[in-house]
Amino acid sequence: MINFDLTEEHRLIEQSVREWGAREIAPRIRELDREHRFDRNILPQMAELGLLGCSVPVEYGGAGMDYISLGLVSEELEYLDTSLRVIMSVHAGLNCLTLLSWGTEDQRQRYLVPQARGEKIATYGLTEPAAGSDVRGIQSVAVRKGDRYLLSGEKMWISLADVADNFLVVAWSDLEKKKQRDPSGLTAFIVERGFKGFSSGTLTQKWGILAGNTGYFTMDEVEVPDANVVGRPGEGFKIAMFALDQGRYTVAAGATGLIRACRDASVAYAKERRTFGVEIAQHQLVKEMIAQMESDYQASRLLWLRAGFLKNSGRRNTRETGLAKWFATVASERAAGDAVQVHGANGYSDEYPVGRFYRNCKGAVIYEGTREIHKVMQADYVLGYRVDRPTRCDLPATAPSADMPR
Ligand SMILES: Cc1cc2nc3c(=O)[nH]c(=O)nc-3n(C[C@H](O)[C@H](O)[C@H](O)COP(=O)(O)OP(=O)(O)OC[C@H]3O[C@@H](n4cnc5c(N)ncnc54)[C@H](O)[C@@H]3O)c2cc1C
């Protein structure tokens, strides 16, 4: 039996984020976006709501919610603005849930607990100036020295680069394997902003997610103790991919929220704007765009809910999460383009939110696996060229139930 109902707890978290967003964010987001300003004061508010440790167990400082709740939060946040959902993706999805699954008890106490409480903000540093999709092309190195590593390299296009305290970083710890592009030479590390040799900056030429912070950081022989190696040396590639299973999930749910925002804005405008003596909503070609938004919204939502259901049950979901991310982000680009179209020239102005949606949606078609990478992955699954092997550490299940909420 499949149950499509949300639980009371799900409805409660959805409602509380929606009410908070309508009160605290919606009235100001246009100005923050126009001013290219990341408002740090939003972080303690998100912490207060339990969002920053959403699916982290209570014993590690989190709110102990299930993964469906993480999806619902992501959807609600991106309904407001992509910049808010990005915080969930890098802090809660890519970083915290990786430490929960792969971190030592000491790392969980030192890093996960303060992060889940929102006392420290965390992100994920994989991409470099010369390598994004091609992870094996990264150049950062970690040279062993006594009981520590010296990390050197530059990470680029990193969300919250200039805001975060802690960074999950992947670098080559085996230089011979680097030459051979053998990913078992990559290792994951926790790097603190305060470590000597670390510096960061903000990318100011970015044209979307303007209320967010995206930047770069440089590591100049940053000393990282052995105790900050996540997993085992050589597991960096697997950990980076594991992290993406959680990050992509929040991106999928977030893009679903953006489609809903496009649909709602388009419905409101189509009933207010008149041409040829009728509301534009009466024109079949306008209806077609709105119908497409509705079908994209519903399909995207079902896909991320299925991935969340698998996560709750402790089952492998790389394939389903990837499909949800690919479908929802591509659909969000279609929805945002059509939302601008429904608004005509007004859609081309910042007076209406749809232009912001249009700028914001594109990032998610690029990060956490580009549209093309996901397309190839999905084809390879179907063709039998790609099979997910078990990982040494799993995301802990949260709900042993077979119910799948709506
Ligand atoms: C707003 C924003 C925030 C980001 N935040 C983070 C973050 O927090 N942390 C982080 O580590 N990274 C982050 N990124 C980086 C992002 O993950 C990379 O941009 C992404 O992985 C793509 O890499 P690339 O830009 O180097 O493009 P490339 O890999 O150079 O790709 C360029 C083009 O070639 C295509 N292509 C490449 N390889 C193939 C192939 N095998 N088959 C078919 N087509 C291919 C791609 O699809 C793309 O169209 C962010 C990016 C953006 C825009």
Side-chain angles (χ1 to χ4, degrees), residues 78 81-82 85 207-209 251 254-255 258-259 262 325 328-338 340 354-367:
E78 191 149 1
D81 193 66
T82 303
R85 190 271 306 149
W207 55 256
I209 323 180
V251 173
L258 193 139
I259 299 170
C262 291
K325 189 273 179 189
T329 55
V330 170
S332 76
E333 196 177 357
R334 179 163 56 227
D338 278 349
V340 170
V354 290
R356 175 164 51 87
F357 300 157
Y358 192 53
R359 283 186 277 106
N360 285 354
C361 72
K362 189 61 187 177
V365 186
I366 296 169
Y367 51 65

Side-chain angles (χ1 to χ4, degrees), residues 138-157:
I138 67 170
Q139 295 301 313
S140 290
V141 292
V143 177
R144 186 134 178 88
K145 190 182 170 200
D147 62 351
R148 51 200 57 229
Y149 287 85
L150 296 184
L151 263 66
S152 297
E154 189 185 1
K155 297 290 179 180
M156 183 82 167
W157 285 105

Side-chain angles (χ1 to χ4, degrees), residues 17-27 29-30 73-85 257-258 261 353 356-357 360:
V17 178
R18 200 171 284 179
E19 284 170 7
W20 165 76
R23 192 177 63 243
E24 301 291 339
I25 306 295
I29 192 62
R30 193 177 71 171
V73 168
S74 302
E75 195 180 307
E76 288 307 318
L77 289 177
E78 191 149 1
Y79 186 86
L80 294 159
D81 193 66
T82 303
S83 60
L84 299 170
R85 190 271 306 149
L258 193 139
R356 175 164 51 87
F357 300 157
N360 285 354

Side-chain angles (χ1 to χ4, degrees), residues 36-40 83 86-87 90 123 157-164 167 193 200-203 206 208-216:
H36 296 210
R37 188 155 68 85
F38 178 84
D39 181 2
R40 282 172 185 265
S83 60
V86 167
I87 298 169
V90 296
T123 188
W157 285 105
I158 306 303
S159 304
L160 305 189
D162 240 0
V163 172
F167 299 76
R193 171 176 298 283
S200 73
T202 293
L203 292 171
K206 186 167 57 109
I209 323 180
L210 298 178
N213 175 265
T214 315
Y216 56 88

Side-chain angles (χ1 to χ4, degrees), residues 254-300:
T256 306
L258 193 139
I259 299 170
R260 176 155 52 90
C262 291
R263 181 201 66 184
D264 291 355
S266 300
V267 165
Y269 189 80
K271 293 177 100 172
E272 163 198 312
R273 179 77 175 179
R274 295 176 72 83
T275 65
F276 302 96
V278 294
E279 296 170 352
I280 60 168
Q282 298 282 345
H283 302 306
Q284 284 192 348
L285 291 177
V286 173
K287 280 186 189 175
E288 185 197 33
M289 290 189 272
I290 289 170
Q292 183 69 53
M293 289 175 205
E294 175 63 3
S295 81
D296 279 341
Y297 171 63
Q298 298 294 347
S300 298

Side-chain angles (χ1 to χ4, degrees), residues 109-136:
Q109 295 299 336
R110 284 192 296 132
Y111 294 105
L112 180 59
V113 169
Q115 288 176 194
R117 288 184 183 145
E119 295 158 5
K120 296 283 180 190
I121 298 301
T123 188
Y124 171 86
L126 184 62
T127 306
E128 299 188 356
S133 309
D134 180 14
V135 172
R136 295 169 203 207

